[in-house]
Amino acid sequence: MSKLYINGRWSASETGREFNSYNPANGSLLDSVADGNREDTANAIHAAEEAFKKWSVVPAIQRSDYLMACYDSMIKNQDLLAEMITREQGKPLKEAINEVGYAASFFRWYAEEARRIYGETLPSNAADKRIVISRQPVGVVAAITPWNFPLAMITRKIAPALAAGCTVVVKPAEQTPLNAVTLFKVLEECNLPPGVINLITTSQPRDVGEELLHNPAVKKITFTGSTDVGKYLTKEASNQMKRVSMELGGHAPFIVFDDADIEDAVNGVIASKFRNAGQTCVCANRIYVQESIMDEFISLFAEKVNAFSVGEGFKSEVDIGPLIDKDAIQKSKNHIEDALNKGAKLITGGKQINGEGNFFEPTILLDVAEDMYICQEETFGPVAPILTFKTENEVIERANNVPYGLAAYFYTNDYSRSIRVSEKLEYGIIGLNDAIPAVAQAPFGGMKESGVGREGGKEGLLDFLETKYISMKFKNECEQ
Ligand code: SIN
């Protein structure tokens, strides 16, 4: 059985309860995991609160060394980590290896940034005053993370938190607890002081969440997940004015203009839509193709999608792994059924693949319209809905006409259009001829109902820091 990690020790839950983790490719049992509850969470918060007293005053250069050690340890254990991603989350091993590199890169970037938490001095209004602005860590952070990137979404939160001088309690998704446990085992090699990072695996996210929300020692909640849960957490966190960073749902438009390189655009749509079997918040959810290039686009797109191999992620030829669970399968089915009932055409795919595991055929839908569910909520599955448009102004208006604002993509070779469209799209992340924009040094996050705050980049560090203004009055004349 895998255990909780509290105050530098592995322990069972106070209740002794466990829950199981399964492989989505075949339903087999992977292991049992300690089922943390509210009391365990309070213990972890207490450990983090005690550790904060010392960690927050560790010199930046030493915190930086710890973070570099975390990076090195992840890279050294790349195969172990990647294999666990494929086993428990399902994505193909080559994608899992990429995720380990991506996840580790947050430690390297924030190891460097830990040494650059600068303050400021400002001109004062009086000769006997000085104004100093300094940055201090917010305190204990609760990190609630999803299953779709079971390592990267943890490191994207804990690396900047530790760089800032915060301590952390992580609650990973109940679908991928073993990934979090494996990551913590790898990080244990870096000898972080006890209590600096803590892990509560649980099948009772509400119970654990209530403690994270209501315990006054927690000063910040950082969450990646659905907009509904993000709104709930934000509302509850406001009772104690806890800081929040919310990386929530998206509904990315992917626009292909008639001046684009079509093959490049098709490859881009594939990379965005079918990465992790469509289970990303930033994947293409509405693919707008300009009318005059539709035939050429769709025939190349269908040819490439029909060549995909779907299956268990350890097989080297596999491009698309299983969906996470039966609910995910059902959501893809519902979106396809609704779209077909409302007039969409099925170009390829459309069904669950029979047999063990949560496999779904990569699917293309044509003649999709905005009144279909697939254009209003995230599918989180390998379903590509294609819409057509005539003009630039029309497509910008349609692309922006959703409550979300996380990521948007467009392909064009027209220089002026590149500037116009990137400025008009109401999204936090824009991929211009680029389908995979996320990197550790860039701010990742959304506008509108896609969230608040940014992860990655210098913005991601500022979100874990308080700004303090010190007004210093002094005797500016020497007495002798
Ligand atoms: C996500 O979809 O949740 C994260 C994707 C990324 O970091 O690229």
Side-chain angles (χ1 to χ4, degrees):
M1 182 195 69
S2 289
K3 297 188 169 159
L4 311 175
Y5 191 70
I6 300 176
N7 206 22
R9 279 191 304 272
W10 294 98
S11 55
S13 162
E14 290 287 342
T15 62
R17 282 213 311 251
E18 300 167 16
F19 69 108
N20 292 333
S21 177
Y22 299 95
N23 182 337
N26 53 29
S28 67
L29 175 66
L30 293 173
D31 198 359
S32 61
V33 191
D35 199 0
N37 68 357
R38 204 164 169 159
E39 201 182 336
D40 298 310
T41 311
N43 293 340
I45 294 170
H46 180 66
E49 191 181 15
E50 287 302 306
F52 179 74
K53 293 175 189 158
K54 290 192 181 150
W55 181 251
S56 55
V57 292
V58 167
I61 188 150
Q62 282 174 27
R63 286 207 300 270
S64 167
D65 289 345
Y66 277 113
L67 289 172
M68 254 339 261
C70 294
Y71 169 76
D72 290 339
S73 186
M74 285 192 74
I75 297 300
K76 190 176 96 195
N77 290 288
Q78 168 182 284
D79 292 346
L80 171 82
L81 291 164
E83 281 163 23
M84 183 51 90
I85 295 177
T86 297
R87 205 167 287 130
E88 190 179 39
Q89 192 275 334
K91 69 183 62 165
L93 191 58
K94 52 196 170 203
E95 274 192 52
I97 291 170
N98 285 342
E99 179 175 346
V100 177
Y102 179 44
S105 73
F106 290 101
F107 281 119
R108 186 165 64 174
W109 166 257
Y110 284 111
E112 291 155 0
E113 285 302 284
R115 302 174 61 185
R116 296 178 191 22
I117 301 175
Y118 300 141
E120 279 176 277
T121 60
L122 305 181
S124 80
N125 292 346
D128 63 349
K129 280 191 177 190
R130 294 291 178 268
I131 293 176
V132 173
I133 312 294
S134 76
R135 315 255 178 224
Q136 293 187 342
V138 296
V140 175
V141 171
I144 306 176
T145 61
W147 49 263
N148 61 342
F149 289 85
L151 297 189
M153 297 303 102
I154 297 181
T155 58
R156 191 155 79 182
K157 296 180 190 314
I158 65 177
L162 299 192
C166 299
T167 54
V168 189
V169 177
V170 177
K171 189 216 76 67
E174 51 277 29
Q175 293 89 339
T176 50
L178 295 174
N179 269 275
V181 168
T182 310
L183 174 65
F184 269 64
K185 291 210 161 128
V186 164
L187 298 183
E188 209 181 3
E189 290 176 13
C190 310
N191 296 319
L192 285 159
V196 169
I197 54 171
N198 304 275
L199 175 66
I200 301 292
T201 50
T202 185
S203 71
Q204 313 159 67
R206 271 202 165 261
D207 213 26
V208 169
E210 289 309 299
E211 187 62 29
L212 295 174
L213 283 166
H214 297 120
N215 190 316
V218 174
K219 302 296 185 225
K220 174 175 170 105
I221 310 269
T222 170
F223 169 72
T224 297
S226 74
T227 294
D228 285 348
V229 174
K231 285 180 181 171
Y232 171 77
L233 294 173
T234 303
K235 245 184 247 157
E236 291 296 306
S238 73
N239 289 328
Q240 294 174 353
M241 293 308 289
K242 292 185 197 297
R243 272 69 187 125
V244 293
S245 290
M246 295 284 146
E247 202 268 273
L248 309 179
H251 207 285
F254 194 116
I255 305 167
V256 185
F257 287 101
D258 57 8
D259 57 63
D261 175 326
I262 296 186
E263 178 152 19
D264 213 23
V266 166
N267 290 336
V269 171
I270 287 174
S272 169
K273 177 74 258 184
F274 296 106
R275 173 179 175 222
N276 199 14
Q279 302 172 110
T280 77
C281 325
V282 288
C283 73
N285 275 294
R286 287 165 291 146
I287 302 160
Y288 291 100
V289 180
Q290 201 153 12
E291 246 176 22
S292 57
I293 55 163
M294 179 53 104
D295 291 347
E296 196 182 339
F297 179 90
I298 198 74
S299 76
L300 189 57
F301 187 38
E303 183 189 318
K304 291 195 183 229
V305 170
N306 282 327
F308 279 160
S309 160
V310 182
E312 208 252 318
F314 283 105
K315 295 185 184 147
S316 60
E317 73 281 9
V318 161
D319 304 298
I320 301 188
L323 298 189
I324 192 71
D325 55 23
K326 302 280 174 241
D327 289 348
I329 294 269
Q330 195 53 48
K331 191 160 192 199
S332 286
K333 281 187 182 165
N334 291 349
H335 277 186
I336 293 168
E337 191 186 319
D338 172 73
L340 295 178
N341 285 341
K342 290 179 179 154
K345 280 200 209 83
L346 186 65
I347 300 297
T348 189
K351 299 190 303 298
Q352 179 174 7
I353 298 173
N354 289 334
E356 285 178 335
N358 305 321
F359 296 102
F360 203 88
E361 293 174 344
T363 299
I364 302 177
L365 294 171
L366 198 58
D367 295 342
V368 171
E370 275 95 351
D371 65 338
M372 302 172 184
Y373 292 148
I374 199 161
C375 285
Q376 293 161 15
E377 41 180 59
E378 288 177 294
T379 307
F380 248 65
V383 186
I386 317 255
L387 303 87
T388 49
F389 70 95
K390 286 192 170 59
T391 68
E392 183 182 309
N393 285 342
E394 171 210 335
V395 78
I396 290 171
E397 199 183 319
R398 288 168 67 190
N400 284 337
N401 195 19
V402 286
Y404 303 104
L406 185 56
Y409 308 86
F410 67 103
Y411 274 61
T412 180
N413 280 319
D414 180 323
Y415 169 72
S416 297
R417 171 174 275 162
S418 301
I419 298 177
R420 279 195 308 270
V421 177
S422 47
E423 289 181 358
K424 285 188 186 148
L425 286 170
E426 296 162 359
Y427 290 82
I429 304 163
I430 305 288
L432 164 55
N433 296 328
D434 183 11
I436 307 286
V439 283
Q441 64 270 37
F444 184 107
M447 300 178 177
K448 303 200 277 190
E449 294 190 21
S450 287
V452 288
R454 292 293 182 269
E455 294 189 319
K458 62 180 188 318
E459 292 81 358
L461 185 58
L462 285 174
D463 274 7
F464 291 95
L465 292 163
E466 289 283 10
T467 297
K468 184 176 275 183
Y469 155 43
I470 308 163
S471 179
M472 303 196 303
K473 190 159 192 288
F474 67 110
K475 292 193 173 65
N476 72 343
E477 287 199 7
C478 181
E479 272 164 15
Q480 85 279 34

